[in-house]
PDB file of all heavy atoms in Angstrom:
ATOM      1  N   ALA B 597      19.540  -0.579  18.725  1.00 53.00           N
ATOM      2  CA  ALA B 597      19.883  -0.291  20.147  1.00 53.00           C
ATOM      3  C   ALA B 597      21.024   0.824  20.057  1.00 53.00           C
ATOM      4  O   ALA B 597      21.615   0.986  19.065  1.00 53.00           O
ATOM      5  CB  ALA B 597      20.500  -1.560  20.746  1.00 53.00           C
ATOM      6  N   PRO B 598      21.183   1.495  21.185  1.00 54.00           N
ATOM      7  CA  PRO B 598      22.245   2.523  21.255  1.00 54.00           C
ATOM      8  C   PRO B 598      23.611   1.802  20.984  1.00 54.00           C
ATOM      9  O   PRO B 598      23.777   0.638  21.113  1.00 54.00           O
ATOM     10  CB  PRO B 598      22.162   3.045  22.675  1.00 54.00           C
ATOM     11  CG  PRO B 598      20.769   2.750  23.113  1.00 54.00           C
ATOM     12  CD  PRO B 598      20.401   1.490  22.394  1.00 54.00           C
ATOM     13  N   ARG B 599      24.556   2.662  20.572  1.00 48.00           N
ATOM     14  CA  ARG B 599      25.904   2.180  20.187  1.00 48.00           C
ATOM     15  C   ARG B 599      26.580   1.331  21.242  1.00 48.00           C
ATOM     16  O   ARG B 599      27.121   0.341  21.016  1.00 48.00           O
ATOM     17  CB  ARG B 599      26.792   3.295  19.736  1.00 48.00           C
ATOM     18  CG  ARG B 599      26.366   3.943  18.377  1.00 48.00           C
ATOM     19  CD  ARG B 599      27.385   4.977  17.949  1.00 48.00           C
ATOM     20  NE  ARG B 599      27.357   6.162  18.816  1.00 48.00           N
ATOM     21  CZ  ARG B 599      26.513   7.217  18.751  1.00 48.00           C
ATOM     22  NH1 ARG B 599      25.666   7.232  17.640  1.00 48.00           N
ATOM     23  NH2 ARG B 599      26.589   8.165  19.482  1.00 48.00           N
ATOM     24  N   ARG B 600      26.509   1.819  22.463  1.00 45.00           N
ATOM     25  CA  ARG B 600      27.192   1.114  23.595  1.00 45.00           C
ATOM     26  C   ARG B 600      26.514  -0.235  23.840  1.00 45.00           C
ATOM     27  O   ARG B 600      27.217  -1.259  24.054  1.00 45.00           O
ATOM     28  CB  ARG B 600      27.135   1.975  24.843  1.00 45.00           C
ATOM     29  CG  ARG B 600      27.821   1.222  26.011  1.00 45.00           C
ATOM     30  CD  ARG B 600      27.709   2.209  27.239  1.00 45.00           C
ATOM     31  NE  ARG B 600      28.345   3.481  27.044  1.00 45.00           N
ATOM     32  CZ  ARG B 600      28.254   4.464  27.950  1.00 45.00           C
ATOM     33  NH1 ARG B 600      27.676   4.296  29.059  1.00 45.00           N
ATOM     34  NH2 ARG B 600      28.902   5.602  27.663  1.00 45.00           N
ATOM     35  N   ALA B 601      25.258  -0.319  23.780  1.00 42.00           N
ATOM     36  CA  ALA B 601      24.523  -1.594  23.938  1.00 42.00           C
ATOM     37  C   ALA B 601      24.875  -2.603  22.879  1.00 42.00           C
ATOM     38  O   ALA B 601      25.090  -3.798  23.065  1.00 42.00           O
ATOM     39  CB  ALA B 601      23.008  -1.456  24.000  1.00 42.00           C
ATOM     40  N   ALA B 602      25.015  -2.049  21.569  1.00 42.00           N
ATOM     41  CA  ALA B 602      25.377  -2.967  20.459  1.00 42.00           C
ATOM     42  C   ALA B 602      26.777  -3.515  20.586  1.00 42.00           C
ATOM     43  O   ALA B 602      27.046  -4.626  20.306  1.00 42.00           O
ATOM     44  CB  ALA B 602      25.177  -2.159  19.109  1.00 42.00           C
ATOM     45  N   ALA B 603      27.707  -2.646  21.041  1.00 43.00           N
ATOM     46  CA  ALA B 603      29.079  -3.132  21.245  1.00 43.00           C
ATOM     47  C   ALA B 603      29.174  -4.202  22.368  1.00 43.00           C
ATOM     48  O   ALA B 603      29.909  -5.139  22.194  1.00 43.00           O
ATOM     49  CB  ALA B 603      29.958  -1.970  21.603  1.00 43.00           C
ATOM     50  N   GLU B 604      28.425  -3.993  23.432  1.00 44.00           N
ATOM     51  CA  GLU B 604      28.433  -4.942  24.457  1.00 44.00           C
ATOM     52  C   GLU B 604      27.843  -6.331  23.976  1.00 44.00           C
ATOM     53  O   GLU B 604      28.346  -7.371  24.358  1.00 44.00           O
ATOM     54  CB  GLU B 604      27.627  -4.455  25.705  1.00 44.00           C
ATOM     55  CG  GLU B 604      28.365  -3.304  26.424  1.00 44.00           C
ATOM     56  CD  GLU B 604      27.504  -2.716  27.534  1.00 44.00           C
ATOM     57  OE1 GLU B 604      26.323  -3.098  27.605  1.00 44.00           O
ATOM     58  OE2 GLU B 604      28.003  -1.814  28.248  1.00 44.00           O
ATOM     59  N   GLY B 605      26.850  -6.238  23.116  1.00 43.00           N
ATOM     60  CA  GLY B 605      26.178  -7.460  22.645  1.00 43.00           C
ATOM     61  C   GLY B 605      27.188  -8.228  21.726  1.00 43.00           C
ATOM     62  O   GLY B 605      27.250  -9.416  21.709  1.00 43.00           O
ATOM     63  N   GLY B 606      27.989  -7.470  20.949  1.00 45.00           N
ATOM     64  CA  GLY B 606      28.993  -8.063  20.081  1.00 45.00           C
ATOM     65  C   GLY B 606      30.064  -8.843  20.777  1.00 45.00           C
ATOM     66  O   GLY B 606      30.544  -9.857  20.461  1.00 45.00           O
ATOM     67  N   GLN B 607      30.489  -8.142  21.918  1.00 45.00           N
ATOM     68  CA  GLN B 607      31.565  -8.805  22.736  1.00 45.00           C
ATOM     69  C   GLN B 607      31.061 -10.063  23.431  1.00 45.00           C
ATOM     70  O   GLN B 607      31.855 -11.000  23.547  1.00 45.00           O
ATOM     71  CB  GLN B 607      32.061  -7.775  23.777  1.00 45.00           C
ATOM     72  CG  GLN B 607      32.785  -6.641  23.137  1.00 45.00           C
ATOM     73  CD  GLN B 607      33.176  -5.599  24.159  1.00 45.00           C
ATOM     74  OE1 GLN B 607      32.870  -5.775  25.399  1.00 45.00           O
ATOM     75  NE2 GLN B 607      33.806  -4.498  23.743  1.00 45.00           N
ATOM     76  N   ALA B 608      29.836 -10.061  23.725  1.00 41.00           N
ATOM     77  CA  ALA B 608      29.286 -11.242  24.362  1.00 41.00           C
ATOM     78  C   ALA B 608      29.226 -12.402  23.359  1.00 41.00           C
ATOM     79  O   ALA B 608      29.498 -13.502  23.744  1.00 41.00           O
ATOM     80  CB  ALA B 608      27.897 -10.990  24.970  1.00 41.00           C
TER      81      ALA B 608
END
Side-chain angles (χ1 to χ4, degrees):
R599 287 185 295 270
R600 180 179 300 174
E604 292 175 353
Q607 292 175 359

